[in-house]
Amino acid sequence: MEQAKIRLSDIKADALTPVRFKNIDGLTTSIRTSGLREPVMVAEKDHLLLSGARRFEACKRAHVHFVDAFFPSNVVEGSLELRRHFDNPDPLYSLPMGVTERVEAAFLLHRLPPPVGEENGFRRDTHTAAAAGLPPKIYAALRSTIRKAGRGEEPSLNAMQEKARKTLSLMVEAVENPPPQFPLASLVGMLHQLLLQEICPDTLESCFPYLNGGTDTKDNRHQKGGSARISRSGSRAPKKEFDYIRTADVVTGTLEGLSCVITDELTDSEHYEYVLKALKEARRMSHVYVKKMEKMRNE
């Protein structure tokens, strides 16, 4: 992986970058007197900051003009470097990162291209999940829930955001202290499935009956704010309301996932015209369905 100097002002800090500026004065002083010992990680094409938000902020406060940076050529290199940073933190340069912060940091790496020659069928999740220290299914569920929960101290949260934040806290609790009764992937997956149905258990223990297939939410749907139900067998009941929510969630997630695709590399790719045509068709179809829904509402 290439390491080189870069002008600090050329680095872009993405809105998704975890903001961790606690105890930053000591780091700022160290950088001012001894320089930056631990390089930040930056995307080569657009100079997006991939790892090192706290170091980046300390360099700004220390009035440093140039810094050392790693420039991963693909998502595999970036994931290995991020995992190395997580596994061997410098007490001065790094603060312990929680589950949510690791997932957010790993998701930034989705902007990087796959290794040359491995483009077909390549899955970024396999490597970014490993960077976060999580199995891919758990990583995907956490990432989806983080997106639904929103970021920062928003002035007002809608009902889904409130449920998503509560569900996220339960997922983090499960990852940090896995209950012995059930596989962790099953528990986190069930929490995510319940969230899609707008159901949020109060505690991890109250989620267990769903995994045992002994809870039918049909009778208490209104109490929990859910719009669908889980059958006693644990499988999804044939409820159209659930399909509406699930489909809308897939569409939203796909659109947000385009940040992994619409990069500078796409311009030179043989698939550029195909992707552009597909997006234009998707835009046309979305307008058709929006008009149809507005007409249905007005009738």
Side-chain angles (χ1 to χ4, degrees):
M1 179 164 45
E2 181 185 357
Q3 179 177 341
K5 294 280 188 183
I6 183 173
R7 187 184 295 274
L8 193 69
S9 59
D10 289 341
I11 299 176
K12 304 171 186 175
D14 190 274
L16 285 177
T17 303
V19 180
R20 298 175 52 76
F21 298 156
K22 297 178 181 179
N23 306 321
I24 199 171
D25 292 340
L27 177 56
T28 302
T29 301
S30 173
I31 291 174
R32 186 180 293 120
T33 57
S34 306
L36 181 65
R37 293 203 313 263
E38 179 78 14
V40 296
M41 185 160 56
V42 177
E44 185 175 4
K45 288 290 185 180
D46 55 8
H47 293 170
L48 176 72
L49 181 66
L50 299 173
S51 175
R54 186 166 168 269
R55 284 165 278 163
F56 175 74
E57 178 65 19
C59 286
K60 289 200 298 184
R61 298 186 185 191
H63 303 292
V64 173
H65 298 295
F66 289 87
V67 296
D68 287 315
F70 290 125
F71 294 90
S73 61
N74 57 63
V75 68
V76 175
E77 284 189 357
S79 297
L80 291 173
E81 171 57 26
L82 186 63
R83 185 58 188 264
R84 183 199 65 78
H85 181 71
F86 288 158
D87 290 345
N88 303 285
D90 185 310
L92 178 62
Y93 279 74
S94 305
L95 294 177
M97 296 185 76
V99 174
T100 301
E101 291 167 315
R102 295 204 310 270
V103 171
E104 289 179 322
F107 183 59
L108 286 175
L109 301 179
H110 283 242
R111 294 173 177 266
L112 295 173
V116 176
E118 299 183 26
E119 293 83 357
N120 293 332
F122 183 83
R123 294 191 59 85
R124 288 173 171 82
D125 276 12
T126 302
H127 302 277
T128 54
L134 296 166
K137 289 185 178 179
I138 295 176
Y139 170 76
L142 281 163
R143 198 181 71 198
S144 174
T145 306
I146 290 171
R147 177 178 57 77
K148 294 179 181 64
R151 292 186 52 80
E153 299 296 329
E154 299 183 17
S156 60
L157 301 176
N158 59 41
M160 177 55 85
Q161 285 179 312
E162 290 179 351
K163 288 183 173 67
R165 292 193 175 193
K166 179 65 180 298
T167 298
L168 181 59
S169 68
L170 292 177
M171 288 180 173
V172 171
E173 179 185 344
V175 171
E176 293 179 341
N177 299 286
Q181 298 94 321
F182 302 99
L184 180 58
S186 299
L187 179 56
V188 173
M190 178 57 72
L191 285 168
H192 187 252
Q193 185 181 18
L194 290 172
L195 177 62
L196 293 178
Q197 301 183 72
E198 299 184 37
I199 298 172
C200 180
D202 293 325
T203 63
L204 280 180
E205 289 74 14
S206 58
C207 182
F208 294 169
Y210 295 101
L211 290 163
N212 284 325
T215 295
D216 189 333
T217 64
K218 182 177 180 180
D219 297 332
N220 56 7
R221 254 171 34 196
H222 298 293
Q223 296 178 11
K224 293 182 179 292
S227 58
R229 65 186 177 92
I230 303 283
S231 69
R232 291 185 181 278
S233 64
S235 61
R236 175 170 64 85
K239 199 71 174 175
K240 283 188 176 180
E241 287 84 351
F242 177 81
D243 293 329
Y244 297 153
I245 296 171
R246 184 65 177 268
T247 301
D249 182 71
V250 169
V251 171
T252 303
T254 301
L255 291 174
E256 292 194 355
L258 285 174
S259 62
C260 304
V261 177
I262 311 302
T263 60
D264 292 340
E265 288 85 358
L266 180 61
T267 306
D268 302 322
S269 171
E270 60 181 301
H271 303 297
Y272 176 84
E273 293 297 334
Y274 175 81
V275 174
L276 181 61
K277 181 180 178 180
L279 289 177
K280 286 182 176 179
E281 177 63 14
R283 180 178 62 183
R284 183 192 67 79
M285 293 176 63
S286 67
H287 284 310
V288 170
Y289 288 118
V290 166
K291 289 180 179 180
K292 182 177 179 179
M293 291 183 68
E294 290 175 341
K295 182 179 179 181
M296 291 165 55
R297 173 73 63 163
N298 294 330
E299 288 180 350

